[in-house]
Amino acid sequence: MTTTDPTASFGGKPLKGQDPRVRPALVEGENETFSTVTEAVARVSEVPVKETNKAWLIGFGVSVTLLGVLGLMLLHLITTGVGVWGNNNPVYWGWPIVNFVFWVGIGHAGTLISAVLFLTRQNWRTGVNRAAEAMTIFAVICAGLFPGVHIGRIWVAYWLFPLPNQMNMWPNFRSPLLWDVFAVSTYASVSLLFWYMGMIPDLATLRDRAINTPRKIAYGIFAMGWTGSSRHWHRYERAYLLLAALAAPLVFSVHSVVSFDFAVSQVPGWHTTIFPPYFVAGAIFSGFAMVLTLMVPARQFFGLKHIITMKHIDVMCRILMATGMMVGYAYMIEFFMAWYGGVQYETFAFVNRAFGNYWWAYWIMVSCNVIFPQIFWSKKMRANLWVVMLVSITTNIGMWFERFVITVTSLSRDFVPSSWGYFSPTYVDMLMFLGSFGLFFTLFLLFLRFLPTVAIAEVKTVMPQAHAHGDHGHGKDGHVDADPTSYGTAGGGGSVAPASKQDA
Amino acid sequence: MSDQNQNQPEIHGVVAYYDDVDGVMNASRKIRDAGYKKWDAYTPFPVHGIDEAMGTKPTILPWIVLGMGLTGLVVGLSLQYFTNAVDYVFLISGKPDWSLPANIPVTFEIIILFSAYTAFFGMLALNKFPHLSNPLHKLERFKRVTNDRFAICVEAADANFDRARVEKLLGVGAEHIETCPTDTTRAALPIWFHGVAAILTCASFIPLAVAFKGRFATSEKPRYHVWPDMDWQRKRKTQTAWEGFPDGRAMRLPVAGTVAEGELRDDFELYFGVAQGSEVPDKIRYDVAKFGADAGAERPEWLAAFPAAVNVDEAFLERGRQRYTIYCSVCHGKQGNGMGAVAVRANALDAAQWGWVPPKSLLSENAKAYSNGELFHVASNGISTMAGYSGQVTAKDRWAIVAYVRAIQATQGLDQTEAPRDADYKPVPTIESVRVSDSSAAGQ
């Protein structure tokens, strides 16, 4: 019974003062029942419009304003041309690509939490996976925006896809940029399916609680007539497992492919084999930072503290620190390779990164990504929500700068000194980036307000009541225990279900 | 039995509700063992072990997904093979048309795409979703199933259905039992919906009709540009007029005395075939009929020997043979007798009747009398109706041609009246013959 290792979920180190054999409760509270969980989550979306949380309203107002700014900037860009950006010889990949990589990186934590932690049976994910998946989708939408408009003439964006056309031309499948089109669009659509599929049972819960017709119709349509049938659950869990198994390699492939955009080119500072793992680690890092940035206030405002517990935050802080150190390791190795490889251009590119024109960007990146997260060695700091918020935000900043450093410093100083330049963004660059946050938060706030923010059905499976008592069997050959489609076994309070093998 | 529908003959099934997992699991086993087929347990979350308690067989979904994943593999590879190796080949730095490693990322993504969609839509299809109208949804109590109740419904459609027996089996541990009436209400759409739907359906044909008209009708007017792309830009293009500059040209001329990269040509011997510092010759005007009495009057000081920049040796002569064969032999013939392929064909067609001027023999006394510099000049700039070859052949190669012409002149000794020899006849000029012609021309 590997799944019942009582401490596996929390990094193998027992939390102080607890029996180390007992897995800490995933849902906190003395008298939690199934219906209190439903109540806690569903209540958020059922608040009448007039009683909407003030903080939500303010946040939504700001986000929609920024979204409007984004719309105006896009209009300006499309009607005028990409000259409105700061991109110019030699830095043709400026902020748009930096923003793309930034957002797509953030969009990795959701599927990672959902798929990889699901497959590795990290049951603590149930509290945060829904919101993380939503975050993924909204971040990927923001990410897709930038390369979409970066092509300049967006009305020929269909050239990116292998569609038969009057020019009798096909895209070049050997270009990493085309791989990117396939990777990102596959990722976006598969994440969307994954997220939506996870929500179907919870949408049915909202439908059945609905007190007025519009809600009943809206949730009813998207719940597709879900009844909770066990035969449906059976196929549903199978499909969920398959999706998780497919999404897990996908999530690694996507950021690897994004890194190929750089690594397959010849530019010094880009042309390195460490890029794929380095980018993936960075993506997980930035994704978890964003999850923390969003979840810490959300659990506060919407009263979900017993479902998204301090232990979730503790685990995520540790992951943040671990991935931060991986990223730091990659920074070091890059320098080592530049020196050890002995290519003068490569050596120059890296010395220039740290001490050249953009030294400030480099050191912001290093401090935010490598130095600040070290604070999480201290348990006290992991429990201090202000510190957690601060570090998760600086991590987001640091990761943006990482992409800036990679993209801009490398391009601005290539092989021929005569083509060197200095990149400066325009106001359009800045407002578009700001506007993308408007898009992201508008969607995210709508999600928080109207959809089940926590996987209600899944949380119930990790509660002690979810398990039949030991007087009946699991399966003749015990295969049920090894079946990862089951959401989880052990619950809190020490009522670990024994793996009894007798049949009824 | 708090059930008002007892007298109603049409029932969908019997529904029992349980408070906890144990209740539903125990009842499931009983129903399973009693051999019912059309029944189901409804739970707020997937209950661990209930598949076994219900006797549910494993779904075939994984096999469907596997099948579609393999389809994705084939589709991904053949899409890329067809588009990039067959239909539209990209020639990039001499790389092979088809190289598998570069096609792996996209193939991988397509496999994932196909399988993931199949997992999701396959699940929907097997579960018969969307399935919005279900009699169970009409039961007020059933709504708690998505919250904290567990239910079992045995359908009346089951062959073994016996209401009393089912109720007895389900009764143990049940919190409540009721019957579910069949759904007789038909959810009719409001009247206005039909009207709106009809109008929208008709309206949706308009864009299609417009597109069809545009496709098949002709029009006097220029095409309508939805997207101007870069067709109209605020700039002047090359070779156009513009009043903005005093000379009326949009293009600027290079500053006087500008020398293009590699075009300095300061070695007069090499580039013009004349002595250093003398006047650079124009196209030769020997044709008295055309240019009047003074045609050919001013002859420049042609170089008699070869310029110092070229080294006349066997390799040079061989180079000359190649260049001559490529550039000159079509007209002047391989042996230089003026009976090249073009001349032979033109003679056969009697092209002279249309004013065609035959190429001259290079073996004639006239041609032999040219000095090296003059011959070079003819090869470079042409002579009366013959065009020059300075655009195609580099200066050194033109000198190589001169050397070769000198060689065939010295060894061949044929004149144009003589019949052409076999096509594969190769004159064997030697380096000595060039040196001989060198000295003989020097006297001129």
Side-chain angles (χ1 to χ4, degrees), chain B residues 189-198:
Chain B
L189 292 164
I191 296 293
W192 58 262
F193 184 87
H194 295 281
V196 171

Side-chain angles (χ1 to χ4, degrees), chain B residues 210-329:
Chain B
V210 170
F212 260 93
K213 181 173 177 280
R215 185 79 184 75
F216 296 108
T218 52
S219 165
E220 300 272 282
K221 292 200 203 97
R223 244 200 274 178
Y224 182 68
H225 271 67
V226 185
W227 305 107
D229 285 337
M230 294 189 203
D231 292 353
W232 293 282
Q233 297 182 25
R234 277 154 64 197
K235 70 172 191 194
R236 298 288 150 183
K237 299 211 167 173
T238 46
Q239 313 290 0
T240 54
W242 186 44
E243 324 72 52
F245 288 124
D247 63 356
R249 304 169 190 248
M251 280 168 82
R252 299 294 75 215
L253 295 175
V255 180
T258 305
V259 177
E261 173 84 35
E263 298 284 305
L264 185 52
R265 306 210 193 159
D266 49 352
D267 183 345
F268 277 40
E269 294 191 350
L270 178 64
Y271 289 104
F272 307 110
V274 294
Q276 192 72 19
S278 63
E279 211 183 314
V280 175
D282 200 357
K283 183 160 176 159
I284 304 176
R285 304 169 162 199
Y286 292 152
D287 193 340
V288 179
K290 224 170 178 179
F291 298 106
D294 60 342
E298 294 167 34
R299 295 203 173 198
E301 284 178 50
W302 294 118
L303 201 63
F306 284 89
V310 304
N311 180 20
V312 185
D313 56 9
E314 295 285 354
F316 189 66
L317 198 59
E318 173 57 20
R319 176 80 183 163
R321 191 186 65 75
Q322 279 177 7
R323 297 297 104 178
Y324 176 88
T325 314
I326 294 169
Y327 292 105
C328 317
S329 72

Side-chain angles (χ1 to χ4, degrees), chain A residues 33-36 38-39 78 153-156 162 167-175 178-179 182-187 189-190 193-194 196-197 200-201 204-210 216 220-221 223-239 242-243 245-247 249-250 253-254 257 260 456-458 460-461 465-469 471-476 480-481 483 485-489 503-504, chain B residues 19-22 25-26 29 32 36-52 54-59 61-63 65 76 79-84 87-92 95-99 101-106 108-124 126-134 136-137 140 142-150 227-230:
Chain A
T33 64
F34 294 142
S35 87
T36 56
T38 311
E39 184 64 28
I78 291 164
R153 291 185 280 158
I154 59 148
W155 46 94
V156 293
M167 302 169 292
N168 275 322
M169 281 165 71
W170 295 107
N172 180 4
F173 280 99
R174 275 179 285 181
S175 159
L178 193 76
W179 305 345
F182 275 78
V184 174
S185 52
T186 302
Y187 185 59
S189 61
V190 171
L193 291 186
F194 202 51
Y196 171 59
M197 190 172 141
I200 292 177
T205 305
L206 292 184
R207 171 199 66 198
D208 289 345
R209 288 168 58 97
K216 205 175 252 169
I221 286 175
M224 293 212 199
W226 181 262
T227 52
S229 149
S230 288
R231 297 180 203 279
H232 290 175
W233 272 122
H234 171 70
R235 298 189 191 102
Y236 175 91
E237 287 198 277
R238 225 352 101 152
L242 287 168
L243 272 185
L246 292 164
L250 179 63
S253 84
V254 173
V257 167
F260 290 157
I456 306 174
E458 244 182 84
K460 288 174 188 165
T461 61
Q465 301 95 304
H467 302 279
H469 295 101
D471 59 340
H472 46 71
H474 281 250
K476 286 194 193 81
V480 179
D481 289 318
D483 180 359
T485 50
S486 60
Y487 278 103
T489 45
D503 204 7
Chain B
D19 279 333
D20 56 7
V21 176
D22 290 327
M25 292 279 265
N26 292 335
R29 285 198 191 87
R32 175 194 69 188
Y36 288 100
K37 291 279 173 291
K38 294 199 169 158
W39 67 283
D40 211 335
Y42 300 87
T43 57
F45 53 85
V47 174
H48 188 55
I50 201 163
D51 292 342
E52 181 268 337
M54 288 173 66
T56 311
K57 288 198 200 76
T59 169
L61 187 63
W63 296 105
V65 171
L79 171 77
Q80 295 177 70
Y81 183 75
F82 173 72
T83 54
N84 278 186
D87 199 42
Y88 192 76
V89 180
F90 282 89
L91 297 171
I92 301 165
K95 289 174 188 157
D97 295 353
W98 175 247
S99 49
N103 296 297
I104 287 175
V106 169
F108 174 80
E109 303 299 340
I110 293 180
I111 293 174
I112 298 279
L113 191 74
F114 274 43
S115 338
Y117 272 64
T118 311
F120 177 76
F121 290 104
M123 183 276 289
L124 291 192
L126 291 174
N127 283 349
K128 303 201 175 62
F129 283 155
H131 182 179
L132 297 184
S133 155
N134 188 331
L136 291 171
H137 289 316
E140 205 44 49
F142 193 78
K143 292 201 190 321
R144 278 190 76 174
V145 168
T146 53
N147 177 11
D148 63 347
R149 279 290 178 275
F150 302 82
W227 305 107
D229 285 337
M230 294 189 203

Side-chain angles (χ1 to χ4, degrees), chain A residues 176-427:
Chain A
L177 298 181
L178 193 76
W179 305 345
D180 218 14
V181 171
F182 275 78
V184 174
S185 52
T186 302
Y187 185 59
S189 61
V190 171
S191 313
L192 188 68
L193 291 186
F194 202 51
W195 178 60
Y196 171 59
M197 190 172 141
M199 260 189 319
I200 292 177
D202 297 346
L203 290 171
T205 305
L206 292 184
R207 171 199 66 198
D208 289 345
R209 288 168 58 97
I211 33 164
N212 59 27
T213 321
R215 288 180 68 87
K216 205 175 252 169
I217 291 177
Y219 291 124
I221 286 175
F222 286 104
M224 293 212 199
W226 181 262
T227 52
S229 149
S230 288
R231 297 180 203 279
H232 290 175
W233 272 122
H234 171 70
R235 298 189 191 102
Y236 175 91
E237 287 198 277
R238 225 352 101 152
Y240 198 84
L241 172 73
L242 287 168
L243 272 185
L246 292 164
L250 179 63
V251 84
F252 290 109
S253 84
V254 173
H255 225 60
S256 300
V257 167
V258 170
S259 80
F260 290 157
D261 289 348
F262 299 90
V264 174
S265 83
Q266 310 284 311
V267 178
W270 288 4
H271 191 60
T272 53
T273 46
I274 199 178
F275 261 29
Y278 159 31
F279 268 51
V280 170
I284 298 168
F285 181 51
S286 66
F288 270 94
M290 197 55 146
V291 174
L292 278 173
T293 315
L294 298 174
M295 292 325 283
V296 170
R299 73 194 272 279
Q300 219 77 11
F301 285 129
F302 295 111
L304 298 170
K305 287 187 211 165
H306 56 299
I307 294 174
I308 304 166
T309 66
M310 283 312 288
K311 277 155 206 157
H312 287 108
I313 293 176
D314 186 86
V315 175
M316 289 197 280
C317 287
R318 291 177 192 208
I319 292 179
L320 205 64
M321 192 168 69
T323 46
M325 287 191 290
M326 287 183 206
V327 169
Y329 172 77
Y331 297 161
M332 266 161 44
I333 287 296
E334 273 189 324
F335 268 85
F336 171 75
M337 289 312 290
W339 165 75
Y340 188 68
V343 178
Q344 55 164 327
Y345 301 106
E346 207 67 25
T347 317
F348 171 78
F350 283 93
V351 172
N352 178 57
R353 251 184 212 184
F355 307 107
N357 271 340
Y358 294 99
W359 62 271
W360 48 273
Y362 184 81
W363 294 107
I364 291 177
M365 165 186 105
V366 170
S367 345
C368 290
N369 294 350
V370 189
I371 301 173
F372 297 166
Q374 299 303 321
I375 200 169
F376 289 143
W377 286 106
S378 149
K379 185 165 177 235
K380 238 192 166 151
M381 291 299 156
R382 297 199 298 268
N384 183 333
L385 292 179
W386 289 108
V387 173
V388 172
M389 270 306 269
L390 205 71
V391 174
S392 70
I393 290 174
T394 56
T395 299
N396 284 321
I397 297 174
M399 283 310 288
W400 188 87
F401 273 97
E402 181 195 296
R403 280 63 176 253
F404 178 83
V405 165
I406 292 174
T407 310
V408 174
T409 60
S410 309
L411 281 177
S412 68
R413 291 280 183 277
D414 65 3
F415 299 97
V416 196
S418 62
S419 69
W420 288 0
Y422 190 83
F423 173 83
S424 11
T426 63
Y427 78 96

